[in-house]
Amino acid sequence: MRTYFSKIGFILAVAGGAIGLGNAWKFPTLSAENGGFIFVLLYLFFTLSIGFSIFLAEVAMGRLSKSDLANAYSSLAISHGKRWRYAGIFMLGGIFVLSFYLVIMGWVLKYTLSSLYYLPKSLEEAKINFHTLISSDLSSSAFFFILSFFLTLFIVSKGLIKGIEKLNLIIMPILFLMLLFMLFYCMSFQKSFARAFSYLFYPNILYFKLSSIAEALGLAFFTLCLGIGCIVTYSAALNKKTNFIRSSVYIVLINLFISFIMGIIVFTFIFEFGTHPYTEGAGIVFISLISLFNQLGTLGHGLAFCFFLALFFAGITSAISMIEPLTSYMINNYKISRLKALFFIGFFVFVLGNACILSLNSDFSSMLSFFGKDFFTLLDKVTSNFLLPLGAIVSSIFVGFFMDQKKIYKIFSQFISREIFLVWLFFIRFISPVAIILVMCYQIFV
């Protein structure tokens, strides 16, 4: 690539993609459903160990190849480059995630706008509104999905530097300021803030399940955008002089920091108004919080708007990260314009996204139900718990065994000692793949 990410642009772009709705929506929900701190500890462990090691592996692929995921595999393989090229198929994982992700972003956008003039007066009213939106209000779901869809494609159409970097240089600081404002406001609810903090950092064995291990691993990959080519693509555009080790550490720490802030904000409001996180499930944001904001009067409208706007900003940055890898691949390999590449990808996402919307609608749900799950839920589970981890396994094994280790060490040696490099290499060769395989086997066979 002729132009490169600045250091700050790279950190904000990748951190923005990592934060997304995984931290803003999935993290509080899964924490509530899987035992609080036990789940948080697992998520923390997987992110800092397996997640971070594979993150560095994908950065190395991007730095050395200066290309998209498929070309990175074929050009960096010691042998059988043409066969390794097919590993680029995991870029489709990002497209599958984006398809249901944009549906959620549509809900977030609707709540952002409606919170300015309307907030439900009770938890029951909020529950009815949300279930009406997803199960019968087909026009609203489709309309806001389409808005999110075209906004994402418009930003990506501007390119990696002009579109994505500039967007994140604006959006990410605003997002941080919004979240910090809400965090400080939550501190005014002293008892509920303390209880939320305790909930996140105190184990509750009653709600912990063995399946929580797989959920924590899936969330770590989901929030770090691993296994879909996002990190490879962004790293290919990274300035050569940038300390990618330090930048990667910043990205992971920002990701974890935002996770905990979102969790504390969500749980503080829930505890303040007398409900329990575990009982809310996936509606923890769209049902619990939106009804609780109403009790704050006029201030509640402003807080609700800021909260959902921050959520939408985070979602946009993540959505862009999911679509960029395949876009870059099509431009590089088929020599077509960015607009044409986005047209073909967009058609695929549009069809799958509408299938997700219809699968939740009561009139069409029976037609789009598989293995006892609606298409929306099935796509979420398959990508988060199987496709993303599988893509991460392949990239880990590839970097560990099928790339020139001297070339890898050359770029790492500028920033870390040989001893640390060898520990990392051992980890991605043996620890990370084995751990992921064991968790996936549990998902399949137990």
Side-chain angles (χ1 to χ4, degrees):
M1 296 185 183
R2 294 180 183 178
T3 53
Y4 297 94
F5 265 139
S6 66
K7 176 183 176 181
I8 299 300
F10 172 73
I11 292 173
L12 293 181
V14 182
I19 289 166
L21 294 180
N23 287 345
W25 171 64
K26 271 197 162 192
F27 177 75
T29 301
L30 292 177
S31 299
E33 293 176 343
N34 293 281
F37 183 59
I38 301 178
F39 178 83
V40 171
L41 194 61
L42 278 171
Y43 169 64
L44 189 65
F45 170 75
F46 285 139
T47 302
L48 293 176
S49 57
I50 296 174
F52 182 63
S53 64
I54 297 176
F55 188 97
L56 288 179
E58 295 195 1
V59 170
M61 290 176 66
R63 284 292 294 267
L64 290 170
S65 68
K66 294 296 179 186
S67 190
D68 56 81
L69 184 64
N71 284 319
Y73 276 119
S74 61
S75 64
L76 297 175
I78 297 174
S79 60
H80 304 294
K82 290 184 179 180
R83 294 181 183 178
W84 273 108
R85 184 185 185 85
Y86 294 114
I89 196 170
F90 288 107
M91 287 184 292
L92 291 177
I95 303 305
F96 292 143
V97 172
L98 183 64
S99 300
F100 70 82
Y101 202 90
L102 286 174
V103 175
I104 302 171
M105 283 178 57
W107 301 340
V108 173
L109 184 57
K110 182 183 187 304
Y111 274 73
T112 302
L113 299 176
S114 64
S115 63
L116 289 172
Y117 59 86
Y118 167 76
L119 292 173
K121 297 177 181 179
S122 66
L123 195 67
E124 189 61 33
E125 184 179 344
K127 190 176 295 186
I128 291 172
N129 289 345
F130 180 64
H131 287 297
T132 298
L133 172 65
I134 66 174
S135 64
S136 58
D137 192 355
L138 194 58
S139 58
S140 290
S141 291
F143 175 74
F144 286 103
F145 163 74
I146 291 171
L147 277 183
S148 300
F149 171 82
F150 279 111
L151 181 58
T152 300
L153 263 61
F154 173 75
I155 296 168
V156 178
S157 71
K158 298 299 179 181
L160 196 61
I161 308 301
K162 291 183 179 179
I164 298 171
E165 181 175 15
K166 287 186 177 179
L167 174 77
N168 281 281
L169 287 173
I170 298 170
I171 280 185
M172 291 305 294
I174 294 174
L175 171 61
F176 291 147
L177 289 174
M178 283 183 175
L179 292 179
L180 287 175
F181 168 74
M182 295 195 70
L183 179 66
F184 287 128
Y185 180 78
C186 286
M187 290 180 182
S188 64
F189 301 108
Q190 294 182 6
K191 291 183 179 179
S192 297
F193 181 82
R195 191 177 173 190
F197 193 88
S198 175
Y199 185 83
L200 272 180
F201 298 102
Y202 185 82
N204 189 339
I205 196 68
L206 292 176
Y207 299 130
F208 180 76
K209 309 173 285 290
L210 287 177
S211 60
S212 301
I213 299 173
E215 295 282 7
L217 181 65
L219 181 62
F221 289 138
F222 190 93
T223 56
L224 288 179
C225 299
L226 298 177
I228 58 175
C230 167
I231 309 304
V232 175
T233 303
Y234 280 1
S235 300
L238 180 61
N239 191 306
K240 293 179 179 180
K241 297 180 180 180
T242 299
N243 185 332
F244 67 90
I245 303 288
R246 185 183 301 164
S247 297
S248 299
V249 171
Y250 290 156
I251 289 165
V252 172
L253 291 180
I254 289 171
N255 177 50
L256 292 173
F257 178 67
I258 297 297
S259 291
F260 296 140
I261 287 182
M262 290 301 303
I264 289 173
I265 290 172
V266 170
F267 295 138
T268 296
F269 280 110
I270 287 175
F271 287 132
E272 178 64 20
F273 298 103
T275 57
H276 192 281
Y278 182 76
T279 63
E280 303 307 319
I284 200 168
V285 170
F286 298 105
I287 296 175
S288 299
L289 282 184
I290 194 67
S291 62
L292 303 178
F293 282 128
N294 178 69
Q295 300 187 40
L296 301 175
T298 304
L299 178 62
H301 286 274
L303 283 174
F305 176 78
C306 288
F307 178 81
F308 283 104
L309 185 62
L311 206 61
F312 185 73
F313 278 177
I316 279 287
T317 58
S318 195
I320 292 166
S321 299
M322 294 172 194
I323 200 171
E324 178 60 27
L326 188 57
T327 304
S328 296
Y329 169 77
M330 294 184 72
I331 293 171
N332 293 337
N333 290 271
Y334 297 104
K335 308 303 178 185
I336 59 176
S337 67
R338 179 170 285 266
L339 287 178
K340 284 185 178 180
L342 288 173
F343 175 81
F344 290 115
I345 296 170
F347 176 79
F348 189 66
V349 171
F350 189 80
V351 171
L352 287 180
N354 278 288
C356 288
I357 293 173
L358 292 174
S359 73
L360 297 173
N361 188 275
S362 56
D363 294 330
F364 301 94
S365 58
S366 59
M367 299 168 54
L368 292 164
S369 178
F370 307 93
F371 308 107
K373 296 183 182 295
D374 58 79
F375 185 68
F376 177 97
T377 303
L378 186 65
L379 206 56
D380 180 10
K381 293 295 182 183
V382 169
T383 52
S384 298
N385 294 350
F386 293 101
L387 197 55
L388 269 62
L390 191 58
I393 289 174
V394 173
S395 61
S396 181
I397 292 174
F398 176 77
V399 173
F401 292 100
F402 296 94
M403 277 180 62
D404 187 332
Q405 302 304 306
K406 291 181 180 179
K407 290 182 179 179
I408 301 175
Y409 178 65
K410 184 177 180 180
I411 62 171
F412 273 77
S413 62
Q414 302 173 55
F415 311 112
I416 60 174
S417 66
R418 182 170 179 79
E419 289 73 19
I420 296 176
F421 171 77
L422 291 175
V423 170
W424 167 79
L425 187 61
F426 177 82
F427 210 91
I428 64 163
R429 279 181 169 180
F430 304 108
I431 306 298
S432 295
V434 171
I436 300 170
I437 289 170
L438 287 175
V439 173
M440 289 181 67
C441 285
Y442 170 83
Q443 286 281 90
I444 297 171
F445 299 111
V446 178

